[in-house]
C-alpha cells in the first residue's frame, strides 16, 4: 500500500475536523484461553488512518501542531520480546516506515496526552468501543482542566469521531477498491472450489476446509466472518455456523463465506445442490431468488435511493411466491403487509468494506440516502421455507440465498463477485464436470 494514501486520509480528516484533536486507539489483544491470544486484528478505523498493524498503539492527529501533526504511540523495540512474540516497528519504525511525524512509547501516553489536548476546543474520539480508553480520555481532559489556572484551556467537547470518519470510509477510493477486488476474487475462487468438492456423504466442515484453504492460498489472512456452510434444513438458520452435519443426496448446500484481504472483506453466498442437480421444487424457488437478485442489482446506481434495491428484490420475490402458490392475494397488498416475511425475514444487503457490515449511515434525516459512486454494498435476497401449516411439504426445509458484492460506479454498478457461478446451468455444468473427473 502506498503510504501517501494514508496521509491523504489523515489530511482529509484533519480538514473536516478543523481545530480539534483526534485520538484513536487500536483494538486490544484478546485472550482466547489460558496463555493463548486470538490472532490479532487491528481496529478498522485505526488501520484505515495509519496502516499500522500492531496492538498497543494510539494515533493522535493535532492539526497545525508545529512539532508534527501525526503522532503515533506504540510499543518500543525489545529484543527479548521480539524473539518470543514477533517483530515490532518501534519508535523509529513508526516514523520511518509508517509516516508518523513523531512517535512516543505507549507507556508515556498518560503524561503526553494532556499536553497535546491543551488549548484544543474539541476532542474527536470513539467512545464506548474500548471502555478502558474512554477512562483514559476523561482522565486526560480532567488533568488539563486542573491546570487551567496556569493558563491552559481544556477541551470543552468530546465529539464522536465516527461521525466524520465513517462517511469517509463509506466512499471507497481506488486503492481500497483494488483490495476489495482481491478479496472478492479470492472468495469467488473459493466458492468454485467448494462446488467442485461437494459430494453426498461429505461433511459441512470438510467443504468449509476447502473454502478456507483457498482463502489462505490466495493470500487472505482469514475469513471476514465465520463461514456458514449449511446443508439442507440448516440453510433456514440464517447465522448457522456449527458446520458439523453430513451433506445429504437431494439437499441444497448454502455457503455464505468471504475472505478478508488486508482488512477488507468480501461477502458471498451461493446455494447449490449437494449432488450437482437441482430438483424441480429447488430449481423453481432458486430461479425466483436469482431473478430477484438480478432485479435488485439492476436497481443499484448513483442517485437512486438505497431502498430501491430492497423494494426491487421484494417485488420479484412476492411475484414468485404467488406464482408458486406459497402466497395468495393481491400483489401490492401482500407487499404492503409484508406477507413475504415468513419466507424472507432479512434485508437485501448492507454496506461492505473493512467490516463485513461496514460503517456509514443508511438514512439521512430519516430518508433513505442516495447511492454514490464508490459505495460498495451486498445484494443478498433469499427464501427460507421452514415447515409450517399451509405450506406444501415439497418446499419444506429449502433455504436459498444468493449474495454478491456490488460497487456503485459513475454510470451504474459493477458486480465484484460475478466470477462465482450462480446460473442453474453453470452450477450444474461445473458440478457435472467435477463428478466426471
Ligand atoms: N455474512 C453476513 C451477511 O451476509 O450479512
Ligand atoms: Mn453473507
Ligand atoms: Mn452479507
Amino acid at each position: 500500500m502506498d503510504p501517501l494514501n494514508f496521509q491523504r486520509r489523515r489530511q482529509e480528516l484533519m480538514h473536516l475536523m478543523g481545530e480539534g484533536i483526534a485520538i484513536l486507539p487500536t483494538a486490544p489483544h484478546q485472550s482466547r484461553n489460558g496463555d493463548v491470544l486470538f490472532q490479532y486484528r487491528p481496529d478498522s478505523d485505526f488501520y484505515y488512518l495509519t496502516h499500522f498493524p500492531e496492538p498497543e498503539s494510539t494515533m493522535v492527529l493535532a492539526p497545525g501542531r508545529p512539532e508534527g501533526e501525526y503522532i503515533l504511540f506504540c510499543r518500543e523495540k525489545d529484543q527479548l520480546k521480539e524473539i518470543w512474540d514477533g517483530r515490532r516497528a518501534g519508535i523509529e519504525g513508526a516514523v520511518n516506515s509508517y509516516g508518523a511525524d513523531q512517535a512516543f512509547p505507549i507507556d508515556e501516553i498518560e503524561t503526553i496526552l494532556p499536553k497535546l489536548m491543551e488549548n484544543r476546543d474539541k476532542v474527536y474520539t470513539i467512545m464506548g468501543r474500548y471502555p478502558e480508553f474512554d477512562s483514559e480520555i476523561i482522565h486526560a481532559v480532567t488533568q488539563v482542566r486542573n491546570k487551567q489556572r496556569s493558563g491552559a484551556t481544556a477541551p470543552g467537547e468530546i465529539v464522536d469521531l465516527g461521525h466524520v470518519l465513517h462517511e469517509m470510509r463509506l466512499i471507497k477510493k481506488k486503492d481500497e477498491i483494488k483490495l476489495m477486488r482481491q478479496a472478492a476474487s479470492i472468495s469467488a475462487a473459493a466458492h468454485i472450489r467448494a462446488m467442485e468438492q461437494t459430494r453426498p456423504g461429505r461433511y459441512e466442515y470438510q467443504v468449509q476446509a476447502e473454502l478456507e484453504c483457498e482463502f489462505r492460498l490466495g493470500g487472505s489472512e482469514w475469513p471476514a466472518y465465520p463461514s456458514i456452510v449449511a446443508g439442507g434444513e440448516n440453510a433456514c438458520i440464517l447465522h448457522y455456523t456449527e458446520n458439523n452435519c453430513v451433506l445429504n443426496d437431494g439437499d441444497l448446500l448454502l455457503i455464505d463465506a468471504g475472505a478478508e484481504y488486508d482488512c477488507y472483506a468480501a461477502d458471498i453466498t451461493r446455494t447449490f445442490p449437494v449432488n450437482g442437480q437441482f430438483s424441480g421444487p429447488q430449481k423453481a424457488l432458486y430461479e425466483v431468488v436469482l431473478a430477484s437478485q438480478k432485479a435488485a442489482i439492476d436497481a443499484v446506481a448513483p442517485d437512486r435511493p438505497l431502498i430501491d434495491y430492497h423494494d426491487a428484490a421484494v417485488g420479484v420475490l412476492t411475484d414468485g411466491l404467488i406464482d408458486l402458490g406459497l402466497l395468495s392475494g393481491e400483489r401490492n397488498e401482500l407487499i404492503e403487509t409484508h406477507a413475504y416475511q415468513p419466507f424472507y425475514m432479512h434485508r437485501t444487503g448492507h454496506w461492505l468494506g473493512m467490516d463485513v457490515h461496514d460503517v456509514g449511515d443508511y438514512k439521512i434525516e430519516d430518508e433513505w440516502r442516495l447511492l454514490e459512486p464508490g459505495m460498495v454494498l451486498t445484494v443478498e435476497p433469499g427464501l427460507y421455507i421452514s415447515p409450517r401449516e399451509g405450506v406444501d411439504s415439497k418446499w419444506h426445509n429449502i433455504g436459498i440465498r444468493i449474495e454478491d458484492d456490488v460497487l456503485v460506479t459513475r454510470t451504474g454498478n459493477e458486480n465484484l463477485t460475478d466470477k462465482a457461478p450462480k446460473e442453474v446451468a453453470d452450477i450444474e455444468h461445473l458440478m457435472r464436470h467435477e463428478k466426471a473427473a
Side-chain angles (χ1 to χ4, degrees):
M1 285 287 270
D2 185 345
L4 278 180
N5 293 324
F6 295 89
Q7 193 187 355
R8 241 178 260 134
R9 291 175 198 173
R10 292 189 296 268
Q11 272 165 355
E12 187 180 337
L13 180 64
M14 283 194 273
H15 178 73
L16 294 168
M17 273 165 40
E19 289 294 295
I21 181 171
I23 306 169
L24 183 63
T26 194
H29 231 141
Q30 300 275 0
S31 158
R32 181 178 183 275
N33 64 302
D35 283 344
V36 181
L37 299 173
F38 278 107
Q39 249 185 303
Y40 184 69
R41 187 206 188 263
D43 178 270
S44 298
D45 284 333
F46 176 86
Y47 198 68
Y48 176 81
L49 291 168
T50 62
H51 209 224
F52 195 71
E54 297 181 21
E56 297 178 64
S57 319
T58 293
M59 176 213 80
V60 176
L61 295 179
R65 181 172 171 268
E67 306 88 326
E69 297 182 313
Y70 170 31
I71 304 135
L72 205 48
F73 291 89
C74 63
R75 303 177 303 188
E76 289 180 273
K77 286 196 80 63
D78 181 323
Q79 205 177 13
L80 186 63
K81 289 214 167 105
E82 289 185 60
I83 286 172
W84 283 89
D85 297 327
R87 297 184 181 92
R88 296 172 171 201
I91 307 303
E92 260 180 43
V95 173
N96 296 335
S97 309
Y98 292 92
D101 296 322
Q102 269 191 318
F104 299 104
I106 188 73
D107 297 337
E108 292 176 18
I109 192 164
E110 208 181 318
T111 32
I112 297 175
L113 206 48
K115 286 187 204 133
L116 293 172
M117 280 183 182
E118 280 178 18
N119 305 324
R120 301 266 168 189
D121 56 350
K122 290 179 190 158
V123 175
Y124 286 82
T125 191
I126 301 280
M127 299 299 280
R129 195 180 298 166
Y130 307 115
E132 260 182 43
F133 186 78
D134 293 349
S135 326
E136 280 178 39
I137 292 281
I138 291 167
H139 181 67
V141 174
T142 314
Q143 278 191 294
V144 190
R145 228 182 262 146
N146 291 344
K147 268 179 60 184
Q148 264 169 342
R149 258 167 302 157
S150 53
T153 329
E157 275 180 75
I158 297 182
V159 186
D160 178 29
L161 180 64
H163 206 67
V164 188
L165 187 57
H166 295 169
E167 281 298 300
M168 285 173 59
R169 277 180 55 191
L170 178 58
I171 309 293
K172 277 75 185 173
K173 298 265 172 38
K174 247 195 208 149
D175 54 310
E176 299 183 270
I177 292 168
K178 199 167 154 195
L179 295 173
M180 293 195 75
R181 276 188 211 290
Q182 189 67 14
S185 126
I186 295 167
S187 306
H191 278 263
I192 292 172
R193 176 163 167 160
M195 287 179 193
E196 289 169 352
Q197 295 297 328
T198 293
R199 311 256 183 288
R202 293 199 86 185
Y203 279 77
E204 291 165 341
Y205 58 79
Q206 292 177 315
V207 177
Q208 178 186 358
E210 300 283 355
L211 265 168
E212 292 179 6
C213 172
E214 197 67 27
F215 287 176
R216 201 70 186 102
L217 287 173
S220 150
E221 298 86 349
W222 37 54
Y225 54 92
S227 303
I228 296 169
V229 183
E233 66 189 276
N234 295 337
C236 295
I237 304 168
L238 297 179
H239 290 158
Y240 173 82
T241 50
E242 287 94 336
N243 302 350
N244 58 5
C245 293
V246 72
L247 295 167
N248 297 312
D249 201 348
D251 278 350
L252 291 178
L253 174 58
L254 180 155
I255 297 182
D256 183 344
E260 183 171 290
Y261 188 80
D262 199 14
C263 284
Y264 282 82
D267 183 6
I268 304 182
T269 308
R270 290 293 183 265
T271 309
F272 55 93
V274 168
N275 64 15
Q277 195 81 38
F278 285 88
S279 72
Q282 287 168 353
K283 184 170 165 184
L285 273 177
Y286 186 90
E287 293 288 14
V288 170
V289 178
L290 184 58
S292 83
Q293 202 234 11
K294 289 179 182 172
I297 292 176
D298 284 346
V300 173
D303 297 325
R304 291 200 55 173
L306 184 58
I307 192 67
D308 278 12
Y309 89 123
H310 177 68
D311 287 345
V314 164
V316 177
L317 289 176
T318 304
D319 289 339
L321 290 168
I322 297 170
D323 288 347
L324 298 177
L326 281 151
L327 285 182
S328 59
E330 201 273 320
R331 174 191 198 261
N332 290 341
E333 200 179 309
L334 291 172
I335 291 174
E336 263 165 45
T337 56
H338 302 166
Y340 54 85
Q341 271 183 352
F343 310 116
Y344 182 44
M345 58 296 278
H346 58 80
R347 297 202 67 81
T348 302
H350 48 83
W351 303 131
L352 182 73
M354 301 185 83
D355 298 321
V356 65
H357 289 181
D358 206 30
V359 293
D361 290 335
Y362 290 81
K363 283 185 171 180
I364 293 178
E365 290 176 1
D366 228 24
E367 295 285 332
W368 292 103
R369 74 188 299 160
L370 302 182
L371 293 174
E372 295 171 45
M375 292 174 167
V376 180
L377 65 165
T378 67
V379 182
E380 49 177 309
L383 286 175
Y384 313 90
I385 322 284
S386 298
R388 60 176 59 236
E389 225 175 287
V391 172
D392 190 323
S393 62
K394 71 179 174 183
W395 308 116
H396 285 182
N397 296 319
I398 299 181
I400 296 165
R401 178 164 65 255
I402 306 171
E403 176 174 26
D404 281 306
D405 304 342
V406 179
L407 165 71
V408 183
T409 62
R410 251 180 298 160
T411 52
N413 71 63
E414 181 190 336
N415 184 348
L416 302 177
T417 48
D418 66 351
K419 292 281 185 297
K422 62 182 178 186
E423 298 293 334
V424 166
D426 292 343
I427 292 173
E428 290 187 343
H429 178 79
L430 179 92
M431 295 184 75
R432 195 162 45 236
H433 185 75
E434 252 333 284
K435 249 197 263 175

